[in-house]
Amino acid sequence: MCGEHGNNCFVHVDSGLPPVGLKCVVNGEEIQACVDPTMTLLNFLRNELKLFGTKEGCGEGECGACTIIMNGETVNSCIILAVEADGAEILTVEGLAKDGELSILQQEFIKMDALQCGFCTPGMLMSARALLDRNPNPSEEEIKEALAGNFCRCTGYIPIIDAVKSAAKREREELK
Amino acid sequence: MLSKFDYYKPKSIKEALDYLDNNDETRILAGGTDLMILLRRNAITCKHILDIKAIPEIQRFDYKNGEGLYIGAGVNVNQIVDSEIIEEKYPALHQAAASLASYQLRNRATLVGNICNASPGGDLPPVLLVYDAEVHIIGPEGEKMVNIKDFFLGVKKTILKDNEIVLGVLLPDVEEGDNSVYLKQSRLKGHDLATVGVAARRNNENKISLAIAAVAPIPLKLTELEDVINEKGLSNDLPDWVEGEIKKYISPISDVRSSKEYRIHISGVLAKRALQTLIEKEVN
Amino acid sequence: MVEKEYRHIGKSYLRKEGQEKVTGQAMYIHDLELPGMLHAKLLHSPHARAKILSIDTSKAKALPGVKAVLVGEDAPYLVGLYMIDKRIIARDEVRYQGEVVAAVAAIDEVTAEKAVSLIEVEYEVLPAVHTIDEALEGKILVHEDINDLDYMKGVFFPQPDSNIASWNTTKKGDIEKGFAEADLIVENEFTLPAVAHAPMETHVSVAQADPYSNKLKVWSSSQSPFTLRDMLAKAFNIPRKDIEVVIPYIGGGFGGKAGIHIEPLVAVLSKAAKGRPVKLKMTREEEFNQLPTRAGMRGRIKTGVKKNGKITAFQAYYDWDSGAYADYGVNVGKTAVYSGGGGYEIENAEIHSRTLYTNKVFSTAYRGFGHLETHWSVERQMDIIAQKLGMDPFELRMKNILKPGSRTLSGEVIYQHTGSPSECLEAVAKEIGWTGYQTKEERLEQFKTGKVRGKGIALLQKAPAMPTNTSTGAIMQMDEDGGVKLMIGAVDMGQGVNTAMAQIAAEELDIPVEKVEVSWEINSDKHPYDWNTVASKYTLMGGNAVKKAAQDMLRQMKEVAAQVFRAHIEELAHKDGYIYHIKHPDKKIPYNKLSRGYVFENGNAIGGPLISHGVYTASGLTNLDPETGEGLPALAWTFGAHGVEIEVDVETGEITVLKMASAFDAGKVINKKLVDGQVIGGVLQGIGSAILEGYKFSSDGTLLNPSFTDNKIPTAKDAPLEVVPIYIENEQVDGPYGARGVAEHPMISVPSAVGNALYDATGINFHSLPLSPENVALRIAENK
């Protein structure tokens, strides 16, 4: 603990530069930390908060494996500095299930076999989640547009698109 | 990443300018979608990161009748995509923004970042060129507006000095009847850089503007071709004529993304289709 | 024939690990942290071929936090599965741009990266071998020590003082006579570039090597727990019992994680760092540039046909641009000699398949290896022949297609139970409404609209490429609830092997599938042997082993129950979790009462814990005759076909895949949902190869596109609008319930079908992949 930024403060000194304070909410939990200014948000989530669900596929914002929802919108956490998340609300794959029960979206991913190796799945789920939050009744084209930033080498995407469609339908029904 | 930098997030322009003045090797961070990749690849190094996102002025994003559209340096590309006024008044900007990168990248990438990065293949510069946009720059000597066609100097090079910041971009207002289109060819249907991107605009006086990305070290406004076109006047034969003619005004290179031959070919196709769209709209 | 009713086989059970994967709980090596773990980073060669004059690591070693710095001299090991030619770290000479020149282990990645940047290397750049022709010319040798390299003898044939890592041949019938009999001879050349596997998880390994003994523990994102152990033992000359390989979830493989890759390097680093665990996670750039690819290939084909379409002779030269190493690549090349003619009966054939060394990133297995490549050539050639004969390409294929009584290239006889390529081809032709090529007039009419549509069909076949004695085992244990723990040696990387094996175990034991748990995280110390998780072989081999393990468990239960009932074992049967007496079915014992042996009322106990096992070894396979290629290489042939309809923008050259119908003779589908997943995913990978993917090199041998920015894979927007999987079920006699493998096959011949549809649409024959907008548009413009 660095002592400067509160109780749950991590110190990670890679660069020898003074750590920067960071407060954010991750999956509903308030986090206070001091981080090396060069650390990415992805590495902060994984290496410091030990939330390993979010993956790194390329480190360059191309493949979407590291997709999380920050302040309601999807972002590639591999090309964001951790310090930029100061004040942000973050949702990762670990925050999708509530009270020990899988979300409808997660259930539909399983039901439609929308995953194989599973490595792209966390990022894919976050892109789908953000889509349904802003558009509860997306067309096939809109689903493809929302997911195109998430590469999957196993499934051929069609089962994923089907899972998002049926999750959207179930979520809409549940709201009725 | 070999760079070791500290991080500074000023709350005012003055603080930002002071910081730039006093700290060499500073990089300005807005969306970070280019900067972070360059740092990771050690293609660039820096000692300081200046995050401008907390400066209120750069969030400016408005359209004023008679003045035009102002897009601040903090406005991300999806904000542009989602803007109804842009879709209505500056359709090419909407189309170019919607074609740029992936959805999640657009949540971070900014229009100003896209021009400051000065990639020859950037999607947004051709649109700004056909709208004669002005780049709003601030530095120790004060503010200035620079026409977008004077902004680019070469691959990854602009006129921007180390102690200057781009606050935003102004697109002059358009009259009723103004229309535009952006067409892009890429290697796949998913997100990709433009193999070639063409922006075309027809103003309310039926004057055509044409600009093109990825065929030269900088995004090009085809002013000479525009003159010839505007002299000829609009006709149904114009698009086909331009398809052949445009090849005289560009000299692209071959690189990993495309051969020179395809760039020439597709420039003609896209210019033709862009003009078809603009002219057909009139007929209907 | 009455269709047998199964309780679990053929049912679409959901994959067992789904919940872990959608909640972020599934742990990959990517996520593994160990106490005291160090991180490694590598220095790569900037040159395709150069002499290493000197390496100065002193500054790197002096950096605080650095625990080990290694160069070639520190790791003088050669590794490889078939051709023992691969260096762990380059020594004296670099053979491709991207090859490892030095490695660092440090307390964190940042320190390791910094240390790498401090290593100074002096190179003398040498002229390099860039092309297939330069490789064949042999003026420069990629491996000057080729004559001394060790390899699997009798199977591969490296040529002395050359760049030919293996020259495999087929000679069947009389090729001269065949061409003399032909009414028409068609010659063509087809090419395709190297392509990346692009698993979403890059290669990553952790190793801990005891500095005081031979003990070595390796955690790796690998398809090959036991082959990896085997090759580590050979490379380091240590006993296999001292090596433990652990494989948890892996984020995609597709062949690229078969065999041995970064593991020995990490092991050497750990040893040098006094036994601290070392993790090496490859960057995406390294994944493209240092780790292997699918080889580029050139196929030169000459076919003789009669006017009626009957093939009289087939001659092919397949030349594989295998890059700097051929440790696995030679086996890719070998497939061409028994499968490189496609699914047709050819009486007179001659095939030369040459796996060539060049100064490029090296090649390895990639989903359906050798087949997508040769089938690109063969299936395009069939369409071109049909055009020249004025025949429907469907008819031409049917005229020559393998059928019961036909012999394959290697002389194997085809039976009904081998599977039916013609049923597959008929099914896809019907599904896409194939009625032959459109006419010139129809084509011209379409061209006016700017968008042209076309249909194409292509046949495919593949059998597992593996050693003749390939084997596998399964261990089964029953618990006190009557639940079964099944241990196998195959890695479930998403293909669903654990779910399918649970279905097979539950079917045999006649219990609910939920009662079977397949043990995840393969550990070579605990799990039974399996050769490699490759080649679409596991459903057949592992399925049989699991069946046998279940039968062994039933036998054990019956032996004990026979004592309880004072009956003959033959009088006992099993049903729904009970062993019962066939004559007195009310006499029955639930499995759980036998799981730890049976206890009589007075306390006497018999039997013991139920532990069973099953093994399966490929039987009857032979090595191929070195001259003629004759022999029995195929555990099982899986035949299939694709039918595709595409739309082409004639100006931009962009192809849209409207519909893909894909049929496979799977023998028996164990789990349709999982197989559908293989088909839809494989088809899109095939489309990637067809219209998008490929390595590009500069004239000096530098890889120009080592990133997802410029080495794209298909996205959700690139998926076909519709994929229709079709299954034909001619049961495999020695497959479990008649099943045979189908995981790789969906990718094969996808480019061929798209290429054929592109001809139908445009009237132009394309010979080179990818069929990118650029390549298509420029050819159309040329032909205007």
Side-chain angles (χ1 to χ4, degrees):
Chain A
M1 266 177 254
C2 77
E4 257 180 68
H5 303 99
N7 279 339
N8 295 317
C9 191
F10 301 91
V11 179
H12 187 94
V13 186
D14 280 338
S15 61
L17 292 160
V20 182
L22 161 64
K23 271 190 193 178
C24 56
V25 175
V26 179
N27 300 331
E29 189 186 342
E30 268 186 51
I31 303 288
Q32 285 191 42
C34 344
V35 294
D36 181 293
T38 63
M39 180 184 282
T40 63
L41 181 54
L42 174 66
N43 283 343
F44 177 66
L45 293 170
R46 289 175 54 83
N47 299 342
E48 305 304 313
L49 302 187
K50 306 296 173 192
L51 293 170
F52 290 112
T54 308
K55 306 300 185 196
E56 177 178 295
C58 69
E60 302 193 334
E62 284 281 343
C63 78
C66 67
T67 304
I68 58 162
I69 296 179
M70 183 157 117
N71 298 328
E73 289 288 6
T74 50
V75 293
N76 292 303
S77 62
C78 72
I79 50 169
I80 293 179
L81 293 172
V83 292
E84 289 183 81
D86 189 31
E89 196 165 321
I90 286 169
L91 184 70
T92 71
V93 68
E94 289 91 345
L96 286 178
K98 291 271 170 334
D99 306 322
E101 199 177 315
L102 298 192
S103 65
I104 288 173
L105 188 62
Q106 289 168 308
Q107 292 171 22
E108 290 303 313
F109 263 60
I110 296 174
K111 210 183 282 173
M112 296 289 167
D113 204 32
L115 56 118
Q116 286 181 31
C117 84
F119 203 78
C120 75
T121 309
M124 197 67 83
L125 281 164
M126 301 322 284
S127 280
R129 179 69 267 146
L131 168 68
L132 297 184
D133 286 345
R134 66 179 181 266
N135 180 358
N137 191 7
S139 67
E140 176 141 346
E141 285 312 305
E142 287 168 331
I143 295 172
K144 286 182 179 179
E145 177 63 32
L147 301 182
N150 294 77
F151 291 174
C152 169
R153 195 57 155 168
C154 300
T155 65
Y157 301 105
I158 291 172
I160 300 176
I161 295 163
D162 290 345
V164 176
K165 271 189 215 163
S166 65
K169 189 158 171 271
R170 274 185 62 195
E171 285 186 5
R172 287 199 307 277
E173 279 163 5
E174 210 143 280
L175 278 176
K176 271 179 198 163
Chain B
M1 179 161 60
L2 292 171
S3 285
K4 292 184 174 185
F5 50 77
D6 52 26
Y7 172 84
Y8 182 62
K9 192 173 185 180
K11 293 202 167 58
S12 73
I13 293 171
K14 188 181 175 311
E15 280 177 64
L17 290 174
D18 286 349
Y19 190 86
L20 279 179
D21 232 10
N22 293 322
N23 294 283
D24 288 344
E25 293 187 55
T26 298
R27 288 279 172 168
I28 296 171
L29 170 71
T33 51
D34 285 308
L35 179 65
M36 289 296 293
I37 296 165
L38 294 173
L39 286 169
R40 182 190 158 96
R41 291 182 181 175
N42 299 316
I44 60 165
T45 55
C46 73
K47 288 186 177 157
H48 313 281
I49 292 283
L50 181 72
D51 185 345
I52 58 170
K53 287 194 285 291
I55 301 173
E57 286 89 338
I58 68 150
Q59 299 306 339
R60 188 181 154 196
F61 184 31
D62 54 39
Y63 169 79
K64 286 181 188 152
N65 233 326
E67 276 180 37
L69 172 73
Y70 189 93
I71 301 171
V75 175
N76 72 44
V77 177
N78 271 341
Q79 284 177 275
I80 294 171
V81 177
D82 292 341
S83 159
E84 282 173 21
I85 193 95
I86 291 179
E87 194 171 358
E88 183 200 323
K89 300 250 177 203
Y90 305 90
L93 181 57
H94 170 82
Q95 292 156 16
S99 81
L100 187 149
S102 65
Y103 185 83
Q104 53 265 59
L105 213 79
R106 293 201 294 268
N107 278 331
R108 298 290 291 180
T110 62
L111 174 138
V112 168
N114 197 239
I115 64 166
C116 289
N117 183 42
S119 159
D123 286 303
L124 303 178
V127 178
L128 300 182
L129 282 165
V130 297
Y131 281 107
D132 247 336
E134 307 256 0
V135 184
H136 186 191
I137 297 171
I138 191 163
E141 283 91 51
E143 296 180 42
K144 59 183 170 185
M145 299 299 278
V146 174
N147 192 287
I148 186 75
K149 69 179 192 310
D150 302 320
F151 184 74
F152 302 107
L153 292 179
V155 178
K156 305 258 164 199
K157 282 197 196 90
T158 69
I159 59 152
L160 201 67
K161 297 199 191 79
D162 283 348
N163 56 4
E164 292 177 329
I165 297 172
V166 175
L167 286 177
V169 170
L170 176 75
L171 282 76
D173 198 8
V174 291
E175 302 293 327
E176 185 73 35
D178 198 301
N179 193 18
S180 67
V181 59
Y182 178 76
L183 294 177
K184 165 184 184 175
Q185 181 61 42
S186 47
R187 291 164 290 188
L188 74 168
K189 299 186 201 305
H191 59 95
D192 191 12
L193 302 161
T195 304
V196 169
V198 171
R201 174 187 174 199
R202 171 187 178 178
N203 72 6
N204 63 318
E205 288 166 348
N206 287 334
K207 289 278 177 265
I208 295 290
S209 313
L210 267 180
I212 185 164
V215 297
I218 59 169
L220 280 188
K221 184 139 194 292
L222 299 169
T223 41
E224 284 177 46
L225 179 59
E226 287 171 359
D227 290 346
V228 185
I229 291 171
N230 290 324
E231 198 147 306
K232 282 173 77 86
L234 300 190
S235 70
N236 285 334
D237 304 334
L238 183 70
D240 285 336
W241 181 81
V242 167
E243 181 179 17
E245 196 65 11
I246 195 172
K247 295 166 189 177
K248 297 180 188 162
Y249 297 85
I250 52 172
S251 52
I253 55 159
S254 293
D255 63 16
V256 67
R257 280 162 210 156
S258 173
S259 68
K260 174 183 159 183
E261 290 74 21
Y262 185 62
R263 283 208 168 100
I264 292 173
H265 168 84
I266 204 69
S267 298
V269 171
L270 296 181
K272 176 181 75 178
R273 290 183 177 186
L275 290 175
Q276 278 170 347
T277 312
L278 295 179
I279 292 172
E280 271 167 21
K281 282 248 167 94
E282 173 72 8
V283 175
N284 299 331
Chain C
M1 209 169 82
V2 183
E3 189 85 347
K4 198 173 166 206
E5 275 294 321
Y6 294 109
R7 181 169 172 183
H8 302 299
I9 300 304
K11 306 271 158 68
S12 287
Y13 286 101
L14 298 175
R15 62 178 63 247
K16 292 217 138 204
E17 77 285 15
Q19 181 155 317
E20 270 183 72
K21 286 180 176 171
V22 299
T23 52
Q25 294 178 95
M27 281 291 146
Y28 302 76
I29 302 290
H30 190 70
D31 309 317
L32 181 67
E33 291 183 333
L34 292 173
M37 189 171 82
L38 303 173
H39 296 265
K41 284 281 176 189
L42 309 173
L43 179 68
H44 304 279
S45 165
H47 307 295
R49 184 164 173 263
K51 200 177 274 177
I52 300 172
L53 298 177
S54 69
I55 305 184
D56 183 354
T57 59
S58 55
K59 285 182 198 154
K61 281 179 174 157
L63 189 73
V66 171
K67 301 296 175 188
V69 181
L70 299 180
V71 297
E73 277 75 35
D74 305 314
Y77 308 105
L78 282 177
V79 296
L81 182 53
Y82 298 107
M83 188 86 200
I84 322 291
D85 63 0
K86 201 160 72 183
R87 270 74 176 167
I88 295 176
I89 306 179
R91 197 178 174 191
D92 304 327
E93 185 180 331
V94 291
R95 292 184 171 80
Y96 67 97
Q97 184 260 320
E99 182 160 23
V100 182
V101 175
V104 173
I107 50 164
D108 53 36
E109 282 194 11
V110 176
T111 308
E113 188 183 1
K114 176 78 188 161
V116 165
S117 75
L118 298 173
I119 298 171
E120 286 161 18
V121 189
E122 216 184 324
Y123 297 98
E124 182 192 333
V125 179
L126 302 170
V129 180
H130 300 296
T131 64
I132 285 169
D133 286 323
E134 284 171 11
L136 285 170
E137 215 175 52
K139 274 191 195 155
I140 300 164
L141 295 188
V142 176
H143 292 269
E144 276 172 5
D145 56 354
I146 185 168
N147 301 353
D148 309 322
L149 293 175
D150 197 11
Y151 61 98
M152 194 186 270
K153 301 205 168 53
V155 181
F156 300 104
F157 309 96
Q159 303 295 304
D161 306 311
S162 79
N163 288 311
I164 302 171
S166 187
W167 186 331
N168 293 70
T169 53
T170 309
K171 287 203 168 94
K172 188 184 176 201
D174 185 340
I175 192 83
E176 300 298 329
K177 187 169 141 271
F179 280 120
E181 283 169 8
D183 296 321
L184 174 73
I185 291 173
V186 180
E187 280 184 83
N188 278 295
E189 180 178 308
F190 302 93
T191 61
L192 66 170
V195 157
H197 306 75
M200 290 318 298
E201 182 193 38
T202 56
H203 284 67
V204 51
S205 296
V206 178
Q208 188 158 23
D210 184 349
Y212 309 109
S213 76
N214 288 328
K215 288 260 183 231
L216 171 63
K217 186 165 181 177
V218 174
W219 296 259
S220 192
S221 182
S222 166
Q223 300 172 231
S224 307
F226 294 91
T227 294
L228 181 54
R229 181 179 72 177
D230 189 47
M231 286 190 282
L232 286 167
K234 281 181 186 152
F236 295 145
N237 195 24
I238 56 176
R240 284 159 185 77
K241 72 169 176 56
D242 286 343
I243 304 170
E244 183 179 1
V245 176
V246 184
I247 301 183
Y249 286 113
I250 84 168
F254 315 112
K257 291 177 181 170
I260 189 164
H261 295 287
I262 58 175
E263 297 88 354
L265 174 55
V266 193
V268 179
L269 275 170
S270 171
K271 196 132 190 162
K274 301 194 174 117
R276 284 176 72 167
V278 175
K279 181 175 190 171
L280 176 58
K281 187 180 86 190
M282 303 309 269
T283 64
R284 184 55 61 180
E285 182 175 354
E286 289 171 322
E287 189 72 24
F288 280 116
N289 209 3
Q290 187 220 313
L291 286 156
T293 68
R294 183 175 77 208
M297 197 270 273
R298 178 178 76 192
R300 287 178 167 164
I301 299 190
K302 184 176 165 188
T303 313
V305 279
K306 296 291 246 186
K307 276 185 192 142
N308 65 8
K310 185 75 198 150
I311 294 172
T312 59
F314 177 89
Q315 188 186 49
Y317 278 83
Y318 291 121
D319 289 318
W320 307 81
D321 186 350
S322 186
Y325 299 114
D327 68 309
Y328 213 125
V330 286
N331 203 37
V332 175
K334 194 191 100 179
T335 63
V337 304
Y338 62 83
S339 195
Y344 306 104
E345 178 160 40
I346 303 165
E347 271 173 42
N348 307 300
E350 181 180 322
I351 296 176
H352 299 269
S353 183
R354 297 178 292 202
T355 306
L356 304 171
Y357 288 123
T358 54
N359 289 111
K360 293 183 193 164
V361 57
F362 64 104
S363 77
T364 191
Y366 182 15
R367 197 172 194 168
F369 67 66
H371 285 70
L372 181 141
E373 303 92 310
T374 52
H375 281 61
W376 163 243
S377 310
V378 168
E379 288 298 309
R380 284 268 44 240
Q381 173 85 345
M382 289 303 275
D383 259 47
I384 296 171
I385 294 169
Q387 292 158 26
K388 293 200 189 264
L389 290 172
M391 235 177 132
D392 180 337
F394 175 81
E395 296 304 326
L396 176 70
R397 286 182 172 84
M398 292 303 279
K399 185 115 203 156
N400 295 285
I401 206 161
L402 289 171
K403 52 188 168 292
S406 304
R407 278 180 184 274
T408 65
L409 277 180
S410 71
E412 183 182 345
V413 181
I414 298 292
Y415 302 94
Q416 186 63 36
H417 61 246
T418 317
S420 172
S422 54
E423 284 178 61
C424 295
L425 195 64
E426 282 163 353
V428 299
K430 188 171 164 221
E431 180 62 34
I432 63 160
W434 173 262
T435 52
Y437 290 134
Q438 57 185 320
T439 63
K440 230 178 193 168
E441 291 69 34
E442 287 169 325
R443 217 171 266 143
L444 284 174
E445 204 51 42
Q446 279 208 64
F447 259 88
K448 289 181 193 157
T449 69
K451 298 244 169 130
V452 293
R453 290 189 174 197
K455 292 176 183 173
I457 50 171
L459 189 67
L460 67 96
Q461 62 170 8
K462 186 184 182 289
M466 58 188 205
T468 55
N469 64 339
T470 300
S471 63
T472 195
I475 295 172
M476 205 179 261
Q477 301 184 67
M478 189 173 281
D479 63 31
E480 296 88 330
D481 305 315
V484 167
K485 203 64 150 175
L486 174 62
M487 294 202 294
I488 57 175
V491 178
D492 194 328
M493 45 202 156
Q495 81 277 40
V497 58
N498 285 5
T499 309
M501 291 306 126
Q503 285 176 247
I504 289 176
E507 184 69 44
E508 286 301 305
L509 295 169
D510 199 15
I511 54 175
V513 80
E514 296 74 27
K515 284 231 161 188
V516 182
E517 184 63 33
V518 183
S519 160
W520 288 87
E521 190 166 280
I522 305 298
N523 182 319
S524 64
D525 275 11
K526 293 157 191 158
H527 285 70
Y529 176 84
D530 177 65
W531 175 60
N532 258 333
T533 315
V534 295
S536 309
K537 61 143 179 58
Y538 198 81
T539 296
L540 194 157
M541 295 191 59
N544 278 325
V546 169
K547 256 182 100 169
K548 286 203 221 170
Q551 286 158 1
D552 180 27
M553 179 157 281
L554 287 169
R555 182 191 55 76
Q556 291 180 35
M557 287 195 282
K558 284 176 188 168
E559 273 175 4
V560 175
Q563 294 183 56
V564 177
F565 295 149
R566 293 174 201 173
H568 297 296
I569 193 166
E570 297 81 21
E571 293 167 337
L572 301 185
H574 74 282
K575 191 175 170 52
D576 204 13
Y578 289 88
I579 303 291
Y580 69 95
H581 195 289
I582 48 173
K583 205 163 149 195
H584 311 287
D586 54 316
K587 272 192 175 178
K588 57 181 185 177
I589 310 176
Y591 292 172
N592 63 323
K593 286 249 165 92
L594 297 164
S595 64
R596 292 286 174 266
Y598 185 81
V599 185
F600 290 95
E601 267 177 39
N602 72 351
N604 286 165
I606 54 171
L610 286 172
I611 304 170
S612 71
H613 82 285
V615 297
Y616 190 82
T617 300
S619 70
L621 302 190
T622 66
N623 288 329
L624 302 177
D625 183 281
E627 291 291 316
T628 65
E630 249 186 283
L632 275 181
L635 175 72
W637 285 103
T638 304
F639 298 105
H642 298 288
V644 67
E645 184 173 14
I646 62 169
E647 184 174 83
V648 188
D649 184 317
V650 299
E651 291 183 328
T652 66
E654 210 172 299
I655 293 174
T656 303
V657 179
L658 304 171
K659 178 172 181 173
M660 178 73 79
S662 303
F664 305 93
D665 194 337
K668 177 80 199 170
V669 173
I670 304 281
N671 182 323
K672 182 171 178 301
K673 195 165 212 127
L674 292 177
V675 180
D676 282 350
Q678 292 307 299
V679 173
I680 298 167
V683 160
L684 190 62
Q685 262 185 34
I687 288 172
S689 284
I691 66 182
L692 177 63
E693 298 175 35
Y695 278 50
K696 291 183 175 178
F697 293 92
S698 71
S699 57
D700 66 358
T702 304
L703 180 61
L704 294 171
N705 54 347
S707 74
F708 278 142
T709 312
D710 288 312
N711 213 330
K712 296 278 186 191
I713 62 172
T715 72
K717 287 176 166 179
D718 300 284
L721 302 187
E722 189 186 3
V723 178
V724 183
I726 300 166
Y727 305 112
I728 311 292
E729 296 187 319
N730 290 297
E731 293 183 3
Q732 176 81 19
V733 282
D734 53 356
Y737 318 100
R740 57 177 80 90
V742 70
E744 300 168 291
H745 304 73
M747 188 171 178
I748 302 166
S749 280
V750 168
S752 325
V754 173
N756 292 340
L758 191 54
Y759 169 79
D760 185 42
T762 65
I764 301 169
N765 279 308
F766 285 79
H767 296 72
S768 296
L769 292 178
L771 306 168
S772 59
E774 168 171 354
N775 292 338
V776 171
L778 291 180
R779 277 291 300 285
I780 292 175
E782 242 172 62
N783 277 265
K784 246 184 184 170

